[in-house]
Amino acid sequence: MALMITDECINCDVCESECPNAAISQGEEIFVIDSALCTECIGHHETSQCVEVCPVDCIVLNPDIVETREQLYEKYLTLTGQALHS
């Protein structure tokens, strides 16, 4: 699953710089995560860095975007130009 930021976000912006895929940006009211870029840090880190630094625990799994660990890793490979060619 991709991550999402809930409306408990306090706009502290510490999560934005932690994202290795640049998936986090300032939205109209709160920060948002682009699910097309979010890999939950798979391929980069052992844990989701935005979740680790969020002071209010407002970053959660997005129940509308179900992805397996393998799918997230494939997305990481594609985003970093390492996609496997068949």
Side-chain angles (χ1 to χ4, degrees), residues 15-28:
C15 61
E16 185 177 22
S17 64
E18 294 297 319
C19 182
N21 298 325
I24 301 173
S25 62
Q26 179 65 53
E28 287 186 34

PDB file of all heavy atoms in Angstrom, residues 15-28:
ATOM      1  N   CYS A  15       8.588  15.675   7.011  1.00  0.00           N
ATOM      2  CA  CYS A  15       8.469  14.470   6.193  1.00  0.00           C
ATOM      3  C   CYS A  15       8.939  14.694   4.755  1.00  0.00           C
ATOM      4  O   CYS A  15       9.513  13.793   4.143  1.00  0.00           O
ATOM      5  CB  CYS A  15       7.032  13.969   6.182  1.00  0.00           C
ATOM      6  SG  CYS A  15       5.837  15.152   5.504  1.00  0.00           S
ATOM      7  N   GLU A  16       8.715  15.872   4.233  1.00  0.00           N
ATOM      8  CA  GLU A  16       8.992  16.141   2.817  1.00  0.00           C
ATOM      9  C   GLU A  16      10.449  15.845   2.445  1.00  0.00           C
ATOM     10  O   GLU A  16      10.726  15.166   1.460  1.00  0.00           O
ATOM     11  CB  GLU A  16       8.643  17.587   2.482  1.00  0.00           C
ATOM     12  CG  GLU A  16       8.776  17.913   1.016  1.00  0.00           C
ATOM     13  CD  GLU A  16       8.358  19.333   0.694  1.00  0.00           C
ATOM     14  OE1 GLU A  16       8.352  20.208   1.592  1.00  0.00           O
ATOM     15  OE2 GLU A  16       8.037  19.565  -0.478  1.00  0.00           O
ATOM     16  N   SER A  17      11.369  16.321   3.226  1.00  0.00           N
ATOM     17  CA  SER A  17      12.784  16.135   2.898  1.00  0.00           C
ATOM     18  C   SER A  17      13.274  14.707   3.153  1.00  0.00           C
ATOM     19  O   SER A  17      14.320  14.307   2.643  1.00  0.00           O
ATOM     20  CB  SER A  17      13.643  17.119   3.685  1.00  0.00           C
ATOM     21  OG  SER A  17      13.538  16.869   5.069  1.00  0.00           O
ATOM     22  N   GLU A  18      12.529  13.933   3.905  1.00  0.00           N
ATOM     23  CA  GLU A  18      12.923  12.553   4.210  1.00  0.00           C
ATOM     24  C   GLU A  18      12.577  11.572   3.095  1.00  0.00           C
ATOM     25  O   GLU A  18      13.118  10.478   3.037  1.00  0.00           O
ATOM     26  CB  GLU A  18      12.264  12.079   5.505  1.00  0.00           C
ATOM     27  CG  GLU A  18      12.736  12.813   6.732  1.00  0.00           C
ATOM     28  CD  GLU A  18      14.220  12.625   7.009  1.00  0.00           C
ATOM     29  OE1 GLU A  18      14.721  11.490   6.851  1.00  0.00           O
ATOM     30  OE2 GLU A  18      14.863  13.613   7.381  1.00  0.00           O
ATOM     31  N   CYS A  19      11.681  11.960   2.195  1.00  0.00           N
ATOM     32  CA  CYS A  19      11.207  11.046   1.154  1.00  0.00           C
ATOM     33  C   CYS A  19      12.242  10.911   0.036  1.00  0.00           C
ATOM     34  O   CYS A  19      12.519  11.879  -0.670  1.00  0.00           O
ATOM     35  CB  CYS A  19       9.885  11.526   0.581  1.00  0.00           C
ATOM     36  SG  CYS A  19       9.233  10.389  -0.669  1.00  0.00           S
ATOM     37  N   PRO A  20      12.783   9.699  -0.164  1.00  0.00           N
ATOM     38  CA  PRO A  20      13.790   9.499  -1.202  1.00  0.00           C
ATOM     39  C   PRO A  20      13.227   9.553  -2.620  1.00  0.00           C
ATOM     40  O   PRO A  20      13.971   9.682  -3.581  1.00  0.00           O
ATOM     41  CB  PRO A  20      14.353   8.112  -0.891  1.00  0.00           C
ATOM     42  CG  PRO A  20      13.240   7.410  -0.200  1.00  0.00           C
ATOM     43  CD  PRO A  20      12.525   8.476   0.592  1.00  0.00           C
ATOM     44  N   ASN A  21      11.909   9.487  -2.757  1.00  0.00           N
ATOM     45  CA  ASN A  21      11.267   9.499  -4.071  1.00  0.00           C
ATOM     46  C   ASN A  21      10.591  10.826  -4.398  1.00  0.00           C
ATOM     47  O   ASN A  21       9.909  10.923  -5.414  1.00  0.00           O
ATOM     48  CB  ASN A  21      10.228   8.377  -4.170  1.00  0.00           C
ATOM     49  CG  ASN A  21      10.848   7.015  -4.033  1.00  0.00           C
ATOM     50  OD1 ASN A  21      11.955   6.776  -4.486  1.00  0.00           O
ATOM     51  ND2 ASN A  21      10.133   6.103  -3.387  1.00  0.00           N
ATOM     52  N   ALA A  22      10.729  11.808  -3.527  1.00  0.00           N
ATOM     53  CA  ALA A  22      10.069  13.112  -3.713  1.00  0.00           C
ATOM     54  C   ALA A  22       8.556  12.946  -3.894  1.00  0.00           C
ATOM     55  O   ALA A  22       7.932  13.644  -4.692  1.00  0.00           O
ATOM     56  CB  ALA A  22      10.689  13.881  -4.878  1.00  0.00           C
ATOM     57  N   ALA A  23       7.974  12.020  -3.141  1.00  0.00           N
ATOM     58  CA  ALA A  23       6.537  11.746  -3.243  1.00  0.00           C
ATOM     59  C   ALA A  23       5.698  12.686  -2.375  1.00  0.00           C
ATOM     60  O   ALA A  23       4.489  12.739  -2.526  1.00  0.00           O
ATOM     61  CB  ALA A  23       6.252  10.301  -2.854  1.00  0.00           C
ATOM     62  N   ILE A  24       6.334  13.418  -1.475  1.00  0.00           N
ATOM     63  CA  ILE A  24       5.605  14.269  -0.538  1.00  0.00           C
ATOM     64  C   ILE A  24       5.743  15.728  -0.950  1.00  0.00           C
ATOM     65  O   ILE A  24       6.846  16.203  -1.231  1.00  0.00           O
ATOM     66  CB  ILE A  24       6.116  14.066   0.900  1.00  0.00           C
ATOM     67  CG1 ILE A  24       5.963  12.605   1.310  1.00  0.00           C
ATOM     68  CG2 ILE A  24       5.376  14.990   1.870  1.00  0.00           C
ATOM     69  CD1 ILE A  24       6.586  12.254   2.647  1.00  0.00           C
ATOM     70  N   SER A  25       4.612  16.423  -0.981  1.00  0.00           N
ATOM     71  CA  SER A  25       4.625  17.844  -1.325  1.00  0.00           C
ATOM     72  C   SER A  25       3.522  18.560  -0.558  1.00  0.00           C
ATOM     73  O   SER A  25       2.607  17.936  -0.019  1.00  0.00           O
ATOM     74  CB  SER A  25       4.436  18.037  -2.827  1.00  0.00           C
ATOM     75  OG  SER A  25       3.179  17.525  -3.231  1.00  0.00           O
ATOM     76  N   GLN A  26       3.606  19.873  -0.541  1.00  0.00           N
ATOM     77  CA  GLN A  26       2.586  20.680   0.124  1.00  0.00           C
ATOM     78  C   GLN A  26       1.326  20.668  -0.721  1.00  0.00           C
ATOM     79  O   GLN A  26       1.361  21.006  -1.898  1.00  0.00           O
ATOM     80  CB  GLN A  26       3.082  22.121   0.304  1.00  0.00           C
ATOM     81  CG  GLN A  26       2.070  23.038   0.963  1.00  0.00           C
ATOM     82  CD  GLN A  26       1.754  22.648   2.397  1.00  0.00           C
ATOM     83  OE1 GLN A  26       2.639  22.485   3.215  1.00  0.00           O
ATOM     84  NE2 GLN A  26       0.485  22.501   2.701  1.00  0.00           N
ATOM     85  N   GLY A  27       0.214  20.264  -0.119  1.00  0.00           N
ATOM     86  CA  GLY A  27      -1.069  20.292  -0.800  1.00  0.00           C
ATOM     87  C   GLY A  27      -1.770  21.607  -0.504  1.00  0.00           C
ATOM     88  O   GLY A  27      -1.156  22.550   0.022  1.00  0.00           O
ATOM     89  N   GLU A  28      -3.043  21.682  -0.806  1.00  0.00           N
ATOM     90  CA  GLU A  28      -3.798  22.912  -0.559  1.00  0.00           C
ATOM     91  C   GLU A  28      -3.870  23.256   0.921  1.00  0.00           C
ATOM     92  O   GLU A  28      -3.759  24.416   1.296  1.00  0.00           O
ATOM     93  CB  GLU A  28      -5.210  22.798  -1.138  1.00  0.00           C
ATOM     94  CG  GLU A  28      -5.230  22.880  -2.650  1.00  0.00           C
ATOM     95  CD  GLU A  28      -6.638  22.910  -3.190  1.00  0.00           C
ATOM     96  OE1 GLU A  28      -7.538  23.493  -2.536  1.00  0.00           O
ATOM     97  OE2 GLU A  28      -6.846  22.342  -4.264  1.00  0.00           O
TER      98      GLU A  28
END
